[in-house]
Structure formats: structure tokens, C-alpha cells
Amino acid sequence: MKALIYLTKRSFINNLKRAVRKPSTLIAMIFGIVYGIFVVFGLGTLVVSVHIDSANGLLAILAVWSIYSVLGNFMMYSSRKGIIFRPGHAHFVFTAPLNPKLVLISSAWMNYVLSLVIWLVVGIAAFTVFGIQPLRALLIVFMGCVLELALEVAVMVFLYTNDNIPEKLMKGIRMAIKVFLIAFALGIVLYFRTNGLTLESAWNLLDLPALQIIPVIGWQIAVYRLILLGPTVLNIVCSILYLAVVAVSVIAAVRMKCDGGYYEDAAKFADDYADIKNRQKNGEMVFSLSGKKRSFRRVREKISGRGAQAIFHRQLLEYKKERFFFFDKFTLVAIVIAFVFSYGLSDAAVESGAGQLFLLGVVAYVSLVMSGYLGKWENELKNPYLFLVPDTPLRKMWYATLTEHIKAFINACIICIPIGIFWHVPVIEIIFCILIYVVIQADRLYTTVLAQCLLGDVFGKTGQNVLRMFIQMALLGVGAGAAVMIGVFINIDFIFPIVLIYSMMVTVAMGILASLRFDTMEQLV
């Protein structure tokens, strides 16, 4: 056990030292911490603004957290993908004379740290934002850091070390959980559509006795109700059942035998994880760790076009080999965004009378969140032949990014058109939002070239992304601020054309500057 503690401690210290010594990682850490603080304060302000800064509001948040965290943990651990193993574990840790159960528990230290941080933030927010008494806030932290974490570890040990459960049964349970989570989300949306998106309807939903009698999940919600709202017969009984489940689960996990049967799956996971990290570094959007090989369609066409056009035709040919052509995983994200915003917030947007401004905000936020995904443009910059094509740098940049512009237009239509229809946004402003999204995505691609030319490999890819985001937000933020001022003091209808024209001017300028520096990019390949 001492060896595992030493390994965990040294891994944490070495990662921290590497982050401090490596500029790119240090910048990413600072940016992540600042962004995390900004998100926490933003959520706190949002909670106060929508008037859910009360015990019922905190209970609603903890109820949603209970449902998705418990079932999400079960799905991850049942597929043996909830703990990050690295190739070094397979070569050194798995072969060591150590208890496989202790190896499993110690390898999940990142999960424990994340849980502790989340619950400390929840405890502080319970006292400062939601007005909960200090003792009750401490009980909430104890509930999350001790009881819930103990149940999570017990479930993890049981699912990783138990080889008697058939894989088909586990796959069926995971599919049933996915169906339940989707149905639960749809049920909440339909409930608020029927009863109205009001605080009264939300509190009535939380007061349903059926919510507390759901095994494990509902019992955990009952414990939170007992702490925040006081005792009732139902939440006392359900709380006792939850404590019994935690105790039985921990005892069963301690007494369960483990001979390292999960080592094979863990070693395969380590290889898949390393491959996923490499693919993400190359700009590919990866959401899962399935490890399945990609399948391609057979295409009999050949590359055509002259000069820089051949770059576009080659990319188009690659997309034709894909199973879904231009539609990728971000397309699914766009569909989910469109469904959630168009169907779930339509009444609020229509009643506010400013649906077009909210739609513009959605476009801006999605563009910012997905700014790290560059698609095939990231890989094109690594191909030496791109600089050998006999054509002008401007044409090569245009044709090398043309497929990304088409994909941006498709995703913009998927997001903006349904939301605009449900929010009763005028057609002309929907078109403006689509064009603004495409222009922002184009500016992101061209700014990448400038960032790489300015920094090279000194700060790595992370430093380049941070500089690119800073340049993009600084330049576009000026135009957005000016447009808002004109819209407030003159006419709100001027916001969309001003933002679009200004964004186009900035994007064209970035494209011209990037093309002037394009020839020097060959030195970085």
C-alpha cells in the first residue's frame, strides 16, 4: 500500500512540476482556473437572478446531480472506463505483487480529488449563495465527500472486480440507463411545457413523493431533503435505507475477492486512452473511448482540380469516404443544442421579446466553447505538400479551409433555424446569425496561422490556442461592444448588420495577414 501511495503522490507532484516548467501547460492551467472561477461566479449570479437562491433551489440542483451522477458512475464503471489507466500501469503496476483491489482504488485518485473540489464548492455556495446554515452546509459536504464517495468506490470495486456478471447483461443495463436518462430529461421538459417554467412548478416537482422512493437515487435525494428542509416520515425512512445501502455496499466491496481479472481490460483502456489523447492533439473531436476502428466507404472518384483547388477536392473525397459525409460528432452537439434551446426555452424567449439577441448570444457562446476544434485544417498545416502546391498563398488558404466553412454553415443552420422558428425570430435575423457564425469560425481558422507564426513551438499548441482565442475575442469584442452601444442608444435592429460587417472585415484582414505569413509556416512542419 505504501508503494501505491508513493506512486500517487509522486505522479501528482511530477505533473505539477511539469505544468509549472512547461509554459504551455502552465498557461492552460491558469486559463482553466480563471475560467472555472468565472463560471462559478457566473452560476452564482444566475442563481440569484432567477430567484432560486434558497434551500429549495439547492435541493433542485442536488436532485439533478444525484440522478445523473449515480447513474453516470454506474455506466462508466460497468464498462470499465471510469478510471484513467496509462501504459505505465500495464508495465509496472499490474505486474507488481500488490493487491489488485488496492491498485484499483489508488488509480482512481483523480476521481476523488474532483469530487472533493466539487463538494467544497457546493458547501461554500450553500452557505454564501443559498443562505444555508453553516451546520447544514457542513452536513451537505459530509454527505457528498464521505457517503456518496464511499458508495461510488464500492460500486467501482464491485463492477471492476466482479467477472461473474455477463457482459450482455451489463450492456443491456447500460442501454436501459441511457434510455432512462433521456426519458427523464424529456419528461422534465414536457412537465415544464405543461405546467409552465415557474418556481412554483419546479418546487411541486421536487415535492413529489415518487421522486424520493426511487431506489438509491431517490433515497439520496431524501437525505438532502432531510438536511435542507427538515425531517418528515418519508425522508427519514428513505435516508435510513440509503445509509443501509452505503453500509452494505462498502462491506461487500471490502469482502469481495479480486485476482486482477480487470487488468486485461485496463491495459487495453490505457492504449486506447493514449491513442485518444494523440488524436485530440491533432485537432480531432473525440468524445468516447470505445477503441473501435473507424470504417470508411469505398469511393471510386479521383482527385480533380488544378492548383489549390486540388486541396479542396482531396478533402471532399475524404469526407465522401466517411459514413456520414460532413456530419460528425459536433453535428450531434448542434442538434442537442438546437433541441434544448428551441423546445425548452421558447416560452421564456418569446415572452422576453428579445429572442433574436438571445440567439446571437447562443451563437457567440457556441463559437467560443468550440474554438479549440479546428477539424481538418489542423492536419492540413502539418502536410508539407500544402506549401509545394503551385498557387498563391491566399488561394491555398481559401481552398484548404473551404470544407470547414461548409461544415460551419451546416452546423449554423442546424442551430439557428430551429431556435429561430420556435423563438419567433425574424427570418432576416436568423440569416444574420447563420452568417455571423460562419464568419467567426473562419476568423478562428485564419487566426490560427498568425498564432503559430508568432509563437512557433515555444509555448506549444496550448499557448497558440490561448493567443488565438485572445486575439479573436479582443478584436471581435470591440465590434460586439460597439454594436450593442448603437443598438441600445439608436436602434436594436442595427446590431446584426454591424456585427456581421465588422466580423467580415476582421476575418478578411486576418485572412490576408495569415496568407502573407503562410510561406513561413513550412518551417514549422
PDB file of all heavy atoms in Angstrom, residues 364-376:
ATOM      1  N   ALA A 364     -22.642  33.180 -30.254  1.00  0.00           N
ATOM      2  CA  ALA A 364     -21.339  33.624 -29.754  1.00  0.00           C
ATOM      3  C   ALA A 364     -20.762  32.635 -28.763  1.00  0.00           C
ATOM      4  O   ALA A 364     -19.558  32.319 -28.796  1.00  0.00           O
ATOM      5  CB  ALA A 364     -21.476  35.007 -29.112  1.00  0.00           C
ATOM      6  N   TYR A 365     -21.607  32.111 -27.866  1.00  0.00           N
ATOM      7  CA  TYR A 365     -21.098  31.181 -26.851  1.00  0.00           C
ATOM      8  C   TYR A 365     -20.663  29.854 -27.463  1.00  0.00           C
ATOM      9  O   TYR A 365     -19.622  29.304 -27.086  1.00  0.00           O
ATOM     10  CB  TYR A 365     -22.168  30.938 -25.783  1.00  0.00           C
ATOM     11  CG  TYR A 365     -21.677  30.077 -24.642  1.00  0.00           C
ATOM     12  CD1 TYR A 365     -20.825  30.603 -23.680  1.00  0.00           C
ATOM     13  CD2 TYR A 365     -22.048  28.739 -24.535  1.00  0.00           C
ATOM     14  CE1 TYR A 365     -20.365  29.828 -22.635  1.00  0.00           C
ATOM     15  CE2 TYR A 365     -21.589  27.947 -23.504  1.00  0.00           C
ATOM     16  CZ  TYR A 365     -20.746  28.497 -22.549  1.00  0.00           C
ATOM     17  OH  TYR A 365     -20.286  27.714 -21.531  1.00  0.00           O
ATOM     18  N   VAL A 366     -21.442  29.316 -28.396  1.00  0.00           N
ATOM     19  CA  VAL A 366     -21.056  28.064 -29.052  1.00  0.00           C
ATOM     20  C   VAL A 366     -19.745  28.245 -29.813  1.00  0.00           C
ATOM     21  O   VAL A 366     -18.870  27.374 -29.791  1.00  0.00           O
ATOM     22  CB  VAL A 366     -22.178  27.576 -29.997  1.00  0.00           C
ATOM     23  CG1 VAL A 366     -21.709  26.392 -30.825  1.00  0.00           C
ATOM     24  CG2 VAL A 366     -23.411  27.204 -29.186  1.00  0.00           C
ATOM     25  N   SER A 367     -19.575  29.387 -30.464  1.00  0.00           N
ATOM     26  CA  SER A 367     -18.332  29.656 -31.178  1.00  0.00           C
ATOM     27  C   SER A 367     -17.153  29.699 -30.223  1.00  0.00           C
ATOM     28  O   SER A 367     -16.059  29.209 -30.537  1.00  0.00           O
ATOM     29  CB  SER A 367     -18.435  30.987 -31.936  1.00  0.00           C
ATOM     30  OG  SER A 367     -19.498  30.966 -32.860  1.00  0.00           O
ATOM     31  N   LEU A 368     -17.342  30.262 -29.025  1.00  0.00           N
ATOM     32  CA  LEU A 368     -16.264  30.344 -28.049  1.00  0.00           C
ATOM     33  C   LEU A 368     -15.946  28.981 -27.462  1.00  0.00           C
ATOM     34  O   LEU A 368     -14.783  28.604 -27.340  1.00  0.00           O
ATOM     35  CB  LEU A 368     -16.650  31.317 -26.930  1.00  0.00           C
ATOM     36  CG  LEU A 368     -15.643  31.455 -25.769  1.00  0.00           C
ATOM     37  CD1 LEU A 368     -14.325  32.014 -26.268  1.00  0.00           C
ATOM     38  CD2 LEU A 368     -16.215  32.328 -24.665  1.00  0.00           C
ATOM     39  N   VAL A 369     -16.978  28.223 -27.101  1.00  0.00           N
ATOM     40  CA  VAL A 369     -16.758  26.918 -26.479  1.00  0.00           C
ATOM     41  C   VAL A 369     -16.067  25.959 -27.431  1.00  0.00           C
ATOM     42  O   VAL A 369     -15.183  25.191 -27.036  1.00  0.00           O
ATOM     43  CB  VAL A 369     -18.105  26.331 -25.992  1.00  0.00           C
ATOM     44  CG1 VAL A 369     -17.935  24.884 -25.558  1.00  0.00           C
ATOM     45  CG2 VAL A 369     -18.647  27.162 -24.845  1.00  0.00           C
ATOM     46  N   MET A 370     -16.458  25.987 -28.706  1.00  0.00           N
ATOM     47  CA  MET A 370     -15.889  25.049 -29.675  1.00  0.00           C
ATOM     48  C   MET A 370     -14.684  25.638 -30.387  1.00  0.00           C
ATOM     49  O   MET A 370     -14.289  25.154 -31.440  1.00  0.00           O
ATOM     50  CB  MET A 370     -16.962  24.675 -30.709  1.00  0.00           C
ATOM     51  CG  MET A 370     -18.182  24.009 -30.118  1.00  0.00           C
ATOM     52  SD  MET A 370     -17.776  22.584 -29.077  1.00  0.00           S
ATOM     53  CE  MET A 370     -16.943  21.538 -30.279  1.00  0.00           C
ATOM     54  N   SER A 371     -14.053  26.654 -29.827  1.00  0.00           N
ATOM     55  CA  SER A 371     -12.932  27.306 -30.503  1.00  0.00           C
ATOM     56  C   SER A 371     -11.691  26.431 -30.557  1.00  0.00           C
ATOM     57  O   SER A 371     -10.779  26.698 -31.335  1.00  0.00           O
ATOM     58  CB  SER A 371     -12.586  28.621 -29.798  1.00  0.00           C
ATOM     59  OG  SER A 371     -12.195  28.380 -28.457  1.00  0.00           O
ATOM     60  N   GLY A 372     -11.607  25.382 -29.733  1.00  0.00           N
ATOM     61  CA  GLY A 372     -10.433  24.517 -29.760  1.00  0.00           C
ATOM     62  C   GLY A 372     -10.491  23.455 -30.844  1.00  0.00           C
ATOM     63  O   GLY A 372      -9.512  22.736 -31.063  1.00  0.00           O
ATOM     64  N   TYR A 373     -11.639  23.320 -31.517  1.00  0.00           N
ATOM     65  CA  TYR A 373     -11.801  22.302 -32.547  1.00  0.00           C
ATOM     66  C   TYR A 373     -11.576  22.927 -33.916  1.00  0.00           C
ATOM     67  O   TYR A 373     -12.301  23.828 -34.328  1.00  0.00           O
ATOM     68  CB  TYR A 373     -13.212  21.702 -32.461  1.00  0.00           C
ATOM     69  CG  TYR A 373     -13.546  20.787 -33.608  1.00  0.00           C
ATOM     70  CD1 TYR A 373     -12.829  19.615 -33.812  1.00  0.00           C
ATOM     71  CD2 TYR A 373     -14.589  21.095 -34.475  1.00  0.00           C
ATOM     72  CE1 TYR A 373     -13.144  18.773 -34.858  1.00  0.00           C
ATOM     73  CE2 TYR A 373     -14.906  20.260 -35.517  1.00  0.00           C
ATOM     74  CZ  TYR A 373     -14.179  19.101 -35.705  1.00  0.00           C
ATOM     75  OH  TYR A 373     -14.493  18.270 -36.752  1.00  0.00           O
ATOM     76  N   LEU A 374     -10.535  22.446 -34.617  1.00  0.00           N
ATOM     77  CA  LEU A 374     -10.167  23.045 -35.902  1.00  0.00           C
ATOM     78  C   LEU A 374     -10.408  22.122 -37.086  1.00  0.00           C
ATOM     79  O   LEU A 374     -10.173  22.511 -38.224  1.00  0.00           O
ATOM     80  CB  LEU A 374      -8.687  23.452 -35.869  1.00  0.00           C
ATOM     81  CG  LEU A 374      -8.323  24.498 -34.817  1.00  0.00           C
ATOM     82  CD1 LEU A 374      -6.837  24.755 -34.837  1.00  0.00           C
ATOM     83  CD2 LEU A 374      -9.085  25.781 -35.051  1.00  0.00           C
ATOM     84  N   GLY A 375     -10.827  20.885 -36.846  1.00  0.00           N
ATOM     85  CA  GLY A 375     -11.137  19.984 -37.942  1.00  0.00           C
ATOM     86  C   GLY A 375      -9.918  19.614 -38.778  1.00  0.00           C
ATOM     87  O   GLY A 375      -8.799  19.506 -38.290  1.00  0.00           O
ATOM     88  N   LYS A 376     -10.146  19.445 -40.085  1.00  0.00           N
ATOM     89  CA  LYS A 376      -9.063  19.032 -40.976  1.00  0.00           C
ATOM     90  C   LYS A 376      -8.050  20.143 -41.230  1.00  0.00           C
ATOM     91  O   LYS A 376      -6.958  19.882 -41.736  1.00  0.00           O
ATOM     92  CB  LYS A 376      -9.650  18.541 -42.309  1.00  0.00           C
ATOM     93  CG  LYS A 376     -10.418  17.232 -42.191  1.00  0.00           C
ATOM     94  CD  LYS A 376     -10.836  16.721 -43.539  1.00  0.00           C
ATOM     95  CE  LYS A 376     -11.574  15.395 -43.416  1.00  0.00           C
ATOM     96  NZ  LYS A 376     -10.728  14.343 -42.843  1.00  0.00           N
TER      97      LYS A 376
END
